Short mmCIF file of all heavy atoms in Angstrom, two decimals:
data_model
loop_
_atom_site.label_atom_id
_atom_site.label_comp_id
_atom_site.label_asym_id
_atom_site.label_seq_id
_atom_site.Cartn_x
_atom_site.Cartn_y
_atom_site.Cartn_z
N GLY A 1037 -38.41 171.10 42.05
CA GLY A 1037 -39.52 171.28 42.98
C GLY A 1037 -39.13 171.92 44.29
O GLY A 1037 -38.69 173.07 44.34
N SER A 1038 -39.25 171.14 45.37
CA SER A 1038 -39.08 171.71 46.71
C SER A 1038 -37.64 172.02 47.08
O SER A 1038 -37.38 172.84 47.96
CB SER A 1038 -39.64 170.73 47.74
OG SER A 1038 -38.82 169.58 47.82
N HIS A 1039 -36.67 171.37 46.43
CA HIS A 1039 -35.24 171.49 46.76
C HIS A 1039 -34.91 170.88 48.13
O HIS A 1039 -33.83 171.14 48.68
CB HIS A 1039 -34.75 172.93 46.72
CG HIS A 1039 -35.10 173.67 45.45
ND1 HIS A 1039 -35.27 173.03 44.24
CD2 HIS A 1039 -35.32 174.99 45.22
CE1 HIS A 1039 -35.58 173.93 43.32
NE2 HIS A 1039 -35.63 175.12 43.89
N VAL A 1040 -35.82 170.12 48.66
CA VAL A 1040 -35.60 169.44 49.95
C VAL A 1040 -35.07 168.04 49.67
O VAL A 1040 -35.65 167.29 48.88
CB VAL A 1040 -36.91 169.38 50.76
CG1 VAL A 1040 -36.72 168.57 52.03
CG2 VAL A 1040 -37.40 170.79 51.08
N VAL A 1041 -33.97 167.68 50.31
CA VAL A 1041 -33.28 166.42 50.04
C VAL A 1041 -34.21 165.22 50.14
O VAL A 1041 -34.22 164.35 49.27
CB VAL A 1041 -32.08 166.25 50.98
CG1 VAL A 1041 -31.58 164.82 50.96
CG2 VAL A 1041 -30.96 167.19 50.56
N GLU A 1042 -34.98 165.15 51.22
CA GLU A 1042 -35.86 163.99 51.40
C GLU A 1042 -36.82 163.82 50.22
O GLU A 1042 -37.04 162.70 49.74
CB GLU A 1042 -36.67 164.12 52.70
CG GLU A 1042 -35.86 163.92 53.97
CD GLU A 1042 -35.21 165.19 54.46
OE1 GLU A 1042 -35.17 166.19 53.71
OE2 GLU A 1042 -34.72 165.21 55.60
N GLU A 1043 -37.36 164.93 49.73
CA GLU A 1043 -38.31 164.86 48.63
C GLU A 1043 -37.60 164.56 47.31
O GLU A 1043 -38.17 163.90 46.43
CB GLU A 1043 -39.11 166.15 48.55
CG GLU A 1043 -40.01 166.34 49.76
CD GLU A 1043 -40.93 167.54 49.65
OE1 GLU A 1043 -41.09 168.08 48.53
OE2 GLU A 1043 -41.48 167.95 50.69
N GLN A 1044 -36.38 165.03 47.16
CA GLN A 1044 -35.61 164.68 45.96
C GLN A 1044 -35.36 163.18 45.90
O GLN A 1044 -35.44 162.56 44.83
CB GLN A 1044 -34.28 165.44 45.96
CG GLN A 1044 -34.43 166.93 45.72
CD GLN A 1044 -33.14 167.70 45.93
OE1 GLN A 1044 -32.24 167.24 46.64
NE2 GLN A 1044 -33.05 168.87 45.34
N MET A 1045 -35.07 162.58 47.04
CA MET A 1045 -34.83 161.13 47.10
C MET A 1045 -36.10 160.35 46.83
O MET A 1045 -36.08 159.31 46.15
CB MET A 1045 -34.25 160.76 48.48
CG MET A 1045 -32.87 161.37 48.73
SD MET A 1045 -32.28 161.13 50.43
CE MET A 1045 -31.89 159.39 50.40
N VAL A 1046 -37.22 160.85 47.33
CA VAL A 1046 -38.50 160.18 47.09
C VAL A 1046 -38.87 160.27 45.61
O VAL A 1046 -39.27 159.28 44.99
CB VAL A 1046 -39.62 160.80 47.95
CG1 VAL A 1046 -40.99 160.29 47.49
CG2 VAL A 1046 -39.40 160.47 49.42
N MET A 1047 -38.73 161.45 45.03
CA MET A 1047 -39.17 161.66 43.65
C MET A 1047 -38.40 160.78 42.68
O MET A 1047 -39.00 160.18 41.77
CB MET A 1047 -39.03 163.13 43.26
CG MET A 1047 -39.48 163.37 41.81
SD MET A 1047 -39.40 165.12 41.34
CE MET A 1047 -39.45 164.95 39.56
N ILE A 1048 -37.10 160.68 42.81
CA ILE A 1048 -36.33 159.90 41.84
C ILE A 1048 -36.74 158.43 41.89
O ILE A 1048 -36.82 157.75 40.86
CB ILE A 1048 -34.81 160.07 42.02
CG1 ILE A 1048 -34.07 159.44 40.83
CG2 ILE A 1048 -34.32 159.49 43.34
CD1 ILE A 1048 -32.58 159.72 40.81
N ARG A 1049 -37.05 157.94 43.08
CA ARG A 1049 -37.46 156.54 43.19
C ARG A 1049 -38.84 156.32 42.56
O ARG A 1049 -39.08 155.29 41.92
CB ARG A 1049 -37.47 156.11 44.66
CG ARG A 1049 -36.07 156.08 45.27
CD ARG A 1049 -36.09 155.46 46.66
NE ARG A 1049 -34.76 155.45 47.26
CZ ARG A 1049 -34.37 156.22 48.26
NH1 ARG A 1049 -35.22 157.07 48.81
NH2 ARG A 1049 -33.15 156.15 48.74
N LEU A 1050 -39.73 157.29 42.73
CA LEU A 1050 -41.06 157.16 42.16
C LEU A 1050 -41.06 157.35 40.64
O LEU A 1050 -41.81 156.68 39.92
CB LEU A 1050 -42.00 158.19 42.79
CG LEU A 1050 -42.37 157.99 44.26
CD1 LEU A 1050 -43.22 159.16 44.73
CD2 LEU A 1050 -43.11 156.67 44.47
N ALA A 1051 -40.23 158.26 40.17
CA ALA A 1051 -40.28 158.65 38.76
C ALA A 1051 -39.41 157.81 37.85
O ALA A 1051 -39.60 157.81 36.63
CB ALA A 1051 -39.85 160.12 38.64
N TRP A 1052 -38.48 157.07 38.41
CA TRP A 1052 -37.46 156.39 37.59
C TRP A 1052 -38.07 155.46 36.55
O TRP A 1052 -37.62 155.42 35.39
CB TRP A 1052 -36.50 155.62 38.50
CG TRP A 1052 -35.34 155.03 37.75
CD1 TRP A 1052 -35.17 153.72 37.38
CD2 TRP A 1052 -34.17 155.72 37.29
NE1 TRP A 1052 -33.97 153.57 36.72
CE2 TRP A 1052 -33.34 154.78 36.65
CE3 TRP A 1052 -33.75 157.06 37.35
CZ2 TRP A 1052 -32.12 155.12 36.07
CZ3 TRP A 1052 -32.53 157.41 36.77
CH2 TRP A 1052 -31.73 156.44 36.14
N ASN A 1053 -39.09 154.72 36.91
CA ASN A 1053 -39.71 153.79 35.96
C ASN A 1053 -40.43 154.51 34.82
O ASN A 1053 -40.74 153.90 33.79
CB ASN A 1053 -40.70 152.86 36.67
CG ASN A 1053 -39.99 151.78 37.46
OD1 ASN A 1053 -38.83 151.47 37.21
ND2 ASN A 1053 -40.69 151.20 38.42
N SER A 1054 -40.71 155.79 35.01
CA SER A 1054 -41.38 156.58 33.98
C SER A 1054 -40.40 157.24 33.02
O SER A 1054 -40.80 157.96 32.10
CB SER A 1054 -42.25 157.66 34.62
OG SER A 1054 -43.26 157.08 35.42
N LEU A 1055 -39.11 156.98 33.20
CA LEU A 1055 -38.06 157.51 32.33
C LEU A 1055 -37.71 156.44 31.30
O LEU A 1055 -37.44 155.29 31.66
CB LEU A 1055 -36.84 157.88 33.16
CG LEU A 1055 -35.65 158.52 32.43
CD1 LEU A 1055 -36.04 159.90 31.90
CD2 LEU A 1055 -34.43 158.62 33.36
N LYS A 1056 -37.69 156.81 30.04
CA LYS A 1056 -37.40 155.85 28.99
C LYS A 1056 -35.93 155.45 29.01
O LYS A 1056 -35.07 156.20 29.50
CB LYS A 1056 -37.77 156.44 27.62
CG LYS A 1056 -36.89 157.60 27.19
CD LYS A 1056 -37.30 158.15 25.83
CE LYS A 1056 -36.89 157.20 24.72
NZ LYS A 1056 -37.10 157.82 23.37
N PRO A 1057 -35.59 154.27 28.50
CA PRO A 1057 -34.17 153.90 28.36
C PRO A 1057 -33.43 154.93 27.51
O PRO A 1057 -33.94 155.38 26.48
CB PRO A 1057 -34.25 152.55 27.64
CG PRO A 1057 -35.58 151.99 28.02
CD PRO A 1057 -36.50 153.19 28.08
N GLY A 1058 -32.27 155.35 27.97
CA GLY A 1058 -31.52 156.40 27.29
C GLY A 1058 -31.93 157.80 27.68
O GLY A 1058 -31.34 158.78 27.21
N GLY A 1059 -32.92 157.92 28.58
CA GLY A 1059 -33.41 159.22 29.01
C GLY A 1059 -32.55 159.84 30.10
O GLY A 1059 -31.62 159.21 30.62
N TYR A 1060 -32.89 161.08 30.46
CA TYR A 1060 -32.12 161.83 31.45
C TYR A 1060 -33.02 162.21 32.64
O TYR A 1060 -34.12 162.70 32.45
CB TYR A 1060 -31.54 163.10 30.84
CG TYR A 1060 -30.50 162.85 29.78
CD1 TYR A 1060 -30.85 162.74 28.44
CD2 TYR A 1060 -29.15 162.70 30.12
CE1 TYR A 1060 -29.89 162.50 27.46
CE2 TYR A 1060 -28.19 162.46 29.16
CZ TYR A 1060 -28.56 162.37 27.82
OH TYR A 1060 -27.61 162.13 26.86
N TYR A 1061 -32.48 162.00 33.84
CA TYR A 1061 -33.17 162.42 35.06
C TYR A 1061 -32.31 163.51 35.70
O TYR A 1061 -31.13 163.30 36.01
CB TYR A 1061 -33.36 161.26 36.03
CG TYR A 1061 -34.21 161.65 37.23
CD1 TYR A 1061 -35.57 161.41 37.22
CD2 TYR A 1061 -33.65 162.29 38.33
CE1 TYR A 1061 -36.38 161.80 38.29
CE2 TYR A 1061 -34.43 162.69 39.39
CZ TYR A 1061 -35.79 162.44 39.37
OH TYR A 1061 -36.58 162.83 40.42
N VAL A 1062 -32.91 164.67 35.94
CA VAL A 1062 -32.17 165.85 36.40
C VAL A 1062 -32.63 166.28 37.78
O VAL A 1062 -33.84 166.37 38.05
CB VAL A 1062 -32.38 167.03 35.42
CG1 VAL A 1062 -31.60 168.25 35.88
CG2 VAL A 1062 -32.00 166.63 33.99
N ILE A 1063 -31.68 166.57 38.65
CA ILE A 1063 -31.97 167.20 39.94
C ILE A 1063 -31.30 168.57 39.94
O ILE A 1063 -30.07 168.67 39.88
CB ILE A 1063 -31.45 166.37 41.13
CG1 ILE A 1063 -32.03 164.95 41.09
CG2 ILE A 1063 -31.79 167.05 42.46
CD1 ILE A 1063 -31.46 164.03 42.14
N GLU A 1064 -32.12 169.61 39.98
CA GLU A 1064 -31.61 170.98 39.95
C GLU A 1064 -31.46 171.54 41.36
O GLU A 1064 -32.02 171.04 42.32
CB GLU A 1064 -32.57 171.88 39.16
CG GLU A 1064 -32.56 171.63 37.67
CD GLU A 1064 -33.36 172.68 36.90
OE1 GLU A 1064 -34.05 173.51 37.53
OE2 GLU A 1064 -33.29 172.68 35.67
N ASP A 1065 -30.68 172.61 41.42
CA ASP A 1065 -30.54 173.42 42.65
C ASP A 1065 -30.07 172.60 43.84
O ASP A 1065 -30.56 172.77 44.97
CB ASP A 1065 -31.87 174.10 42.97
CG ASP A 1065 -32.32 175.03 41.86
OD1 ASP A 1065 -31.47 175.72 41.27
OD2 ASP A 1065 -33.53 175.07 41.56
N THR A 1066 -29.10 171.73 43.61
CA THR A 1066 -28.59 170.91 44.71
C THR A 1066 -27.88 171.75 45.76
O THR A 1066 -27.73 171.32 46.91
CB THR A 1066 -27.64 169.83 44.18
OG1 THR A 1066 -26.63 170.43 43.36
CG2 THR A 1066 -28.41 168.80 43.35
N HIS A 1067 -27.49 172.97 45.40
CA HIS A 1067 -26.86 173.86 46.38
C HIS A 1067 -27.83 174.23 47.50
O HIS A 1067 -27.41 174.60 48.60
CB HIS A 1067 -26.37 175.14 45.70
CG HIS A 1067 -27.47 176.00 45.17
ND1 HIS A 1067 -28.08 175.77 43.96
CD2 HIS A 1067 -28.10 177.09 45.69
CE1 HIS A 1067 -29.02 176.67 43.75
NE2 HIS A 1067 -29.07 177.49 44.79
N SER A 1068 -29.13 174.10 47.23
CA SER A 1068 -30.13 174.46 48.24
C SER A 1068 -30.03 173.61 49.50
O SER A 1068 -30.45 174.03 50.58
CB SER A 1068 -31.55 174.33 47.65
OG SER A 1068 -31.72 175.20 46.56
N SER A 1069 -29.46 172.42 49.34
CA SER A 1069 -29.30 171.53 50.49
C SER A 1069 -28.44 172.17 51.58
O SER A 1069 -28.54 171.81 52.75
CB SER A 1069 -28.64 170.21 50.05
OG SER A 1069 -29.44 169.54 49.11
N PHE A 1070 -27.60 173.11 51.18
CA PHE A 1070 -26.64 173.68 52.11
C PHE A 1070 -27.00 175.10 52.55
O PHE A 1070 -26.23 175.75 53.24
CB PHE A 1070 -25.24 173.66 51.47
CG PHE A 1070 -24.84 172.30 51.00
CD1 PHE A 1070 -25.01 171.93 49.67
CD2 PHE A 1070 -24.31 171.36 51.89
CE1 PHE A 1070 -24.65 170.66 49.23
CE2 PHE A 1070 -23.96 170.10 51.46
CZ PHE A 1070 -24.13 169.74 50.14
N LEU A 1071 -28.18 175.55 52.16
CA LEU A 1071 -28.62 176.88 52.55
C LEU A 1071 -29.46 176.82 53.84
O LEU A 1071 -30.36 176.00 53.95
CB LEU A 1071 -29.46 177.51 51.43
CG LEU A 1071 -28.75 177.75 50.09
CD1 LEU A 1071 -29.73 178.32 49.08
CD2 LEU A 1071 -27.56 178.67 50.27
N ASP A 1072 -29.17 177.68 54.77
CA ASP A 1072 -29.87 177.68 56.06
C ASP A 1072 -31.36 177.94 55.90
O ASP A 1072 -32.17 177.48 56.72
CB ASP A 1072 -29.26 178.73 56.99
CG ASP A 1072 -27.86 178.34 57.45
OD1 ASP A 1072 -27.52 177.14 57.39
OD2 ASP A 1072 -27.10 179.24 57.85
N VAL A 1073 -31.73 178.67 54.86
CA VAL A 1073 -33.13 179.04 54.68
C VAL A 1073 -34.03 177.80 54.54
O VAL A 1073 -35.21 177.83 54.90
CB VAL A 1073 -33.30 179.98 53.46
CG1 VAL A 1073 -32.99 179.24 52.16
CG2 VAL A 1073 -34.71 180.56 53.42
N TYR A 1074 -33.46 176.70 54.04
CA TYR A 1074 -34.27 175.49 53.87
C TYR A 1074 -34.31 174.63 55.13
O TYR A 1074 -35.10 173.69 55.21
CB TYR A 1074 -33.74 174.66 52.69
CG TYR A 1074 -34.11 175.27 51.35
CD1 TYR A 1074 -33.24 176.14 50.71
CD2 TYR A 1074 -35.33 175.00 50.75
CE1 TYR A 1074 -33.58 176.72 49.49
CE2 TYR A 1074 -35.67 175.56 49.53
CZ TYR A 1074 -34.79 176.42 48.91
OH TYR A 1074 -35.13 176.99 47.71
#
């Protein structure tokens, strides 16, 4: 989504219960945290 750290932290907490046991939760583009453009 936004690649903004605060929103990544919010989303995983909200979405975690919707992930089945044995499932995978992925955060993409973590390099964006270190780009000045964001």
Side-chain angles (χ1 to χ4, degrees):
S1038 70
H1039 309 332
V1040 175
V1041 165
E1042 288 87 347
E1043 294 186 15
Q1044 290 171 338
M1045 295 172 73
V1046 169
M1047 180 177 162
I1048 190 172
R1049 293 188 181 109
L1050 291 176
W1052 187 257
N1053 284 340
S1054 298
L1055 183 67
K1056 67 180 287 189
Y1060 294 91
Y1061 187 94
V1062 181
I1063 304 174
E1064 289 189 351
D1065 300 320
T1066 52
H1067 67 278
S1068 299
S1069 299
F1070 305 97
L1071 297 178
D1072 290 339
V1073 67
Y1074 285 93

